[in-house]
Amino acid sequence: MLESKTPVIKRIEKVFNALKESKLSEQSLPRITTKLHPDLKMIGQFFQCSPEESLFLSLIFGLKVVSSNVYYNDLIHYLDCNPFFIVSREALFKSLQKKRLITKDDNWGRNSVSLNITRETYNAAAADKPLQQAETGVDTVYLLLQRVDDLMNERRRETITSMELFEELAHLLEAEEELGITSQVKSMQLPVRDIALLLYLCCQFANGEDYVDLNEMLNVVFDSMSDKVSTKRELISGDAAVIKQELIAFENDFFLMGRSVKLTDKAIADLFGADTNFFERQRPFRPNHTRLTEAKSIKEKKIYLNDGEQQQIQTLENLLQDDNLKRVQQKFENAGLGKGVVVLLYGEPGTGKTETVYHLSRITQRNLLLVDIAAIRDKYVGESEKHLKALFDEYRRAVSHFERVPILLFNESDALISKRVEVSSSVDQMNNSMQNILLQELETFEGILFATSNLNVNLDKAFERRFLYKVHYQKPGLATREKIWASKLPDLCPSSISQMARNFEFTGGQIDNVVRKYLLENILSEQSLDVNQLSKLCREESLHQHGSRIGF
């Protein structure tokens, strides 16, 4: 006779051993349960289940110890019983499943239903801590999401139906209503279908996935084709509650077949609460509206500028050193001024504007977020403006994520900062709306923004005061051109370098073009340096600059 303090695992073992070849049946079941009553009673109290449920839980537990999966066939052979007796216990197995004590797979993998004990059941028995005293409840959002993830995995294996998934999620939200995430979800008053989608995305977010394939998500959550189709239609049309409440969004805010969905920043902040910033830092930053270049990945590249531009860039380099920037921003704030550092680099193409920003990113160890202005524009009314707002939201998220404030680069921003025009078409209206949004964002901007432009005098006056620095890039002077030629072709003699610099007033970009073609032709012909050939390529570059045909 086992004492009341006997570990539950010992009681499970005793019941399991007693059932071996017991020929269990409807007739013998009362006698065997009576014989094992003390043990079944203690097991039932431990797991909050009936004596008969305790008996079959012990049987499944014991078989699970020696096998990865327990099939109906295993129960029948171990008990040496009639197969129909096991089949008649279907409701009992379903009850154990609802109590999260076992999982049940009806896929007939070995021409038989498979059963398994849950992780909670195993851990509780191994630790000898009754479920009501162990972690039946969860004390963090991540433990809750682990529960949800387990349920989603059961749906993937089709061991539970969609309706059972919804029932389990509803029960979980009721049982854990004191958690922030559950109270938030309940306050949203979503249909249970939408709750399932939202929690699925939360699990993926916690696992480091920003975007999730829409079809994959629907296949996991729903077992009915009609439910998948109708839900997909509502999501796309914007009629679904999770879309209306701005909890779920499509990639780039529009849908194409096979596109992905994600939690919105609003949903992340609402559901993860105080953990949001900490959690974001543990995950890789994945931008959706910009292209991220990490400072450590930028290779060192010497930039040759005229003295005037070089002095201004040196000032910016000093300003963007982390300690200096923090002090300056604090003084700006104390003086009631905006904290943002907004810089315009404008002038001739090929003079090093974009390369300067990459240089500053590398030297100050600030990651760079590059804006593709063409990608922001959208043919649908209002979408371009949404993309621009989302872009700045993304940048603010990046500021919170990285230790150092990153640089936001609007490259070739002419279309955004040039003078506004009278509205004569929907395109003009979109451009003006985007400029108004950009002006509003710059008014309260607290980060680092660089804009490059090839225009010289067409800057909209409303933007002039938004730019703290405006650096005019002129074509390189003679001394600067000599330095560029010498850096690109170090084997070229000084007299030839001076000749090239004097004869051709090229920008750095144009010199790059000439050198590329020169090296290409020399590699193909296997010839040494030839100044005459170099001069010929320079003359061709000059002709192209004046509108001649482009080609070889």
Side-chain angles (χ1 to χ4, degrees):
M1 183 72 179
L2 294 172
E3 298 179 1
S4 60
K5 292 183 180 181
T6 301
V8 72
I9 196 74
K10 288 293 185 182
R11 295 184 181 278
I12 292 173
E13 181 185 5
K14 180 182 176 184
V15 172
F16 177 70
N17 290 335
L19 291 173
K20 185 174 178 60
E21 299 178 356
S22 61
K23 301 186 183 299
L24 193 62
S25 64
E26 294 287 356
Q27 293 72 28
S28 64
L29 180 62
R31 173 177 55 80
I32 292 176
T33 52
T34 299
K35 178 182 176 181
L36 297 172
H37 175 73
D39 300 299
L40 296 177
K41 178 181 178 181
M42 296 302 297
I43 294 170
Q45 290 174 351
F46 192 96
F47 290 109
Q48 300 180 40
C49 57
S50 70
E52 187 177 347
E53 288 174 341
S54 299
L55 183 145
F56 278 94
L57 179 63
S58 300
L59 175 62
I60 297 167
F61 197 113
L63 290 172
K64 169 61 183 172
V65 171
V66 296
S67 177
S68 58
N69 286 294
V70 179
Y71 294 89
Y72 274 15
N73 289 341
D74 298 321
L75 303 183
I76 294 165
H77 291 146
Y78 187 81
L79 295 172
D80 190 18
C81 69
N82 189 314
F84 291 98
F85 173 72
I86 296 299
V87 174
S88 71
R89 263 49 203 169
E90 186 70 24
L92 180 144
F93 296 137
K94 184 66 70 175
S95 175
L96 288 173
Q97 184 181 22
K98 285 184 177 294
K99 292 176 180 179
R100 305 291 297 152
L101 295 173
I102 69 168
T103 60
K104 181 170 174 288
D105 188 344
D106 294 318
N107 281 336
W108 303 89
R110 268 176 41 186
N111 296 323
S112 177
V113 176
S114 70
L115 306 167
N116 206 341
I117 58 170
T118 63
R119 180 167 44 246
E120 295 93 337
T121 302
Y122 179 86
N123 289 341
D128 201 36
K129 293 179 65 176
L131 280 178
Q132 67 268 25
Q133 297 174 12
E135 293 179 348
T136 52
V138 295
D139 55 3
T140 73
V141 61
Y142 308 111
L143 290 175
L144 176 84
L145 292 179
Q146 180 61 61
R147 288 280 193 87
V148 174
D149 197 44
D150 289 343
L151 288 170
M152 294 299 176
N153 283 330
E154 289 189 44
R155 266 296 305 136
R156 284 188 179 90
R157 298 193 303 270
E158 297 183 0
T159 60
I160 59 174
T161 66
S162 293
M163 189 56 64
E164 288 168 336
L165 170 67
F166 299 156
E167 290 174 358
E168 288 286 345
L169 292 177
H171 173 74
L172 193 57
L173 292 179
E174 288 296 329
E176 311 299 342
E177 60 183 353
E178 294 184 1
L179 274 179
I181 188 172
T182 52
S183 61
Q184 280 290 336
V185 170
K186 291 177 70 175
S187 71
M188 293 168 182
Q189 297 184 328
L190 298 169
V192 66
R193 174 203 70 179
D194 291 49
I195 290 174
L197 299 176
L198 188 64
L199 291 178
Y200 178 91
L201 287 174
C202 285
C203 289
Q204 300 306 309
F205 176 81
N207 284 325
E209 297 295 332
D210 285 324
Y211 280 103
V212 172
D213 182 81
L214 174 63
N215 292 326
E216 180 182 342
M217 177 175 71
L218 296 176
N219 286 334
V220 170
V221 174
F222 300 106
D223 48 20
S224 162
M225 179 60 70
S226 62
D227 287 339
K228 294 175 189 177
V229 172
S230 62
T231 302
K232 188 173 185 178
R233 185 182 297 119
E234 287 188 35
L235 289 169
I236 295 169
S237 66
D239 293 332
V242 283
I243 299 292
K244 289 181 176 179
Q245 295 191 33
E246 298 181 348
L247 301 170
I248 293 178
F250 285 102
E251 185 177 9
N252 294 330
D253 290 328
F254 65 95
F255 180 80
L256 294 173
M257 185 62 68
R259 281 290 188 183
S260 301
V261 289
K262 67 161 188 170
L263 289 178
T264 62
D265 290 341
K266 174 182 180 295
I268 293 169
D270 288 347
L271 297 174
F272 289 88
D275 289 337
T276 300
N277 286 342
F278 169 79
F279 187 62
E280 286 282 5
R281 288 182 180 274
Q282 310 311 307
R283 309 167 66 249
F285 183 80
R286 294 191 177 101
N288 306 312
H289 302 279
T290 57
R291 188 171 75 240
L292 172 65
T293 301
E294 294 185 344
K296 63 184 180 182
S297 71
I298 300 174
K299 295 181 179 179
E300 183 176 0
K301 184 177 181 180
K302 182 69 175 176
I303 300 177
Y304 297 95
L305 302 174
N306 296 322
D307 290 343
E309 295 109 75
Q310 184 62 53
Q311 290 174 8
Q312 293 180 80
I313 297 307
Q314 187 60 53
T315 298
L316 288 171
E317 183 178 322
N318 293 336
L319 169 61
L320 296 183
Q321 297 298 330
D322 208 40
D323 290 341
N324 292 340
L325 180 65
K326 289 177 180 177
R327 284 200 302 269
V328 167
Q329 288 189 320
Q330 187 60 57
K331 288 188 177 182
F332 282 171
E333 187 175 14
N334 294 342
L337 301 172
K339 294 168 60 177
V341 175
V342 183
V343 181
L344 173 65
L345 309 180
Y346 70 100
E348 295 281 346
T351 49
K353 300 182 294 295
T354 304
E355 199 60 51
T356 295
V357 183
Y358 278 88
H359 166 77
L360 291 172
S361 170
R362 182 188 65 81
I363 208 74
T364 62
Q365 286 300 291
R366 297 185 183 280
N367 293 328
L368 182 69
L369 293 172
L370 175 64
V371 178
D372 183 352
I373 294 177
I376 297 175
R377 296 176 177 274
D378 196 290
K379 64 182 179 180
Y380 297 107
V381 176
E383 289 300 305
S384 298
E385 294 89 327
K386 284 183 182 179
H387 294 331
L388 188 57
K389 289 179 180 177
L391 184 153
F392 277 95
D393 288 339
E394 180 171 276
Y395 177 75
R396 283 185 279 271
R397 185 163 61 89
V399 171
S400 299
H401 181 87
F402 296 115
E403 290 185 9
R404 292 193 175 189
V405 176
I407 295 171
L408 182 62
L409 171 59
F410 281 80
N411 203 28
E412 298 183 0
S413 61
D414 303 45
L416 277 179
I417 64 175
S418 57
K419 289 180 180 177
R420 282 170 283 188
V421 298
E422 292 186 10
V423 176
S424 60
S425 68
S426 59
V427 174
D428 294 336
Q429 182 177 353
M430 177 191 69
N431 287 338
N432 287 352
S433 296
M434 291 180 69
Q435 286 185 315
N436 289 335
I437 291 170
L438 181 57
L439 288 167
Q440 292 169 12
E441 290 287 352
L442 293 182
E443 194 68 28
T444 57
F445 189 72
E446 295 188 352
I448 304 167
L449 184 148
F450 279 80
T452 68
S453 171
N454 294 328
L455 55 85
N456 290 317
V457 295
N458 203 32
L459 178 67
D460 191 286
K461 289 189 178 299
F463 282 101
E464 286 188 13
R465 70 179 181 85
R466 264 54 173 212
F467 289 109
L468 180 63
Y469 286 94
K470 294 178 278 289
V471 182
H472 184 195
Y473 279 65
Q474 299 183 11
K475 279 192 173 183
L478 176 60
T480 305
R481 293 198 299 273
E482 288 180 343
K483 291 177 182 177
I484 297 173
W485 278 111
S487 70
K488 302 297 181 183
L489 294 173
D491 294 335
L492 201 62
C493 68
S495 61
S496 296
I497 288 174
S498 297
Q499 178 187 337
M500 294 297 107
R502 282 195 311 271
N503 292 346
F504 303 99
E505 295 183 2
F506 283 166
T507 64
Q510 289 175 291
I511 294 174
D512 274 349
N513 282 343
V514 171
V515 170
R516 284 194 188 97
K517 286 188 285 186
Y518 179 73
L519 294 177
L520 175 62
E521 291 186 10
N522 274 270
I523 290 172
L524 294 176
S525 63
E526 298 183 354
Q527 294 178 359
S528 59
L529 284 169
D530 184 337
V531 175
N532 292 330
Q533 181 191 8
L534 189 60
S535 297
K536 176 177 176 290
L537 292 173
C538 286
R539 287 192 294 273
E540 290 176 357
E541 183 71 20
S542 297
L543 288 173
H544 295 162
Q545 194 68 15
H546 289 88
S548 296
R549 68 179 180 85
I550 298 175
F552 291 95

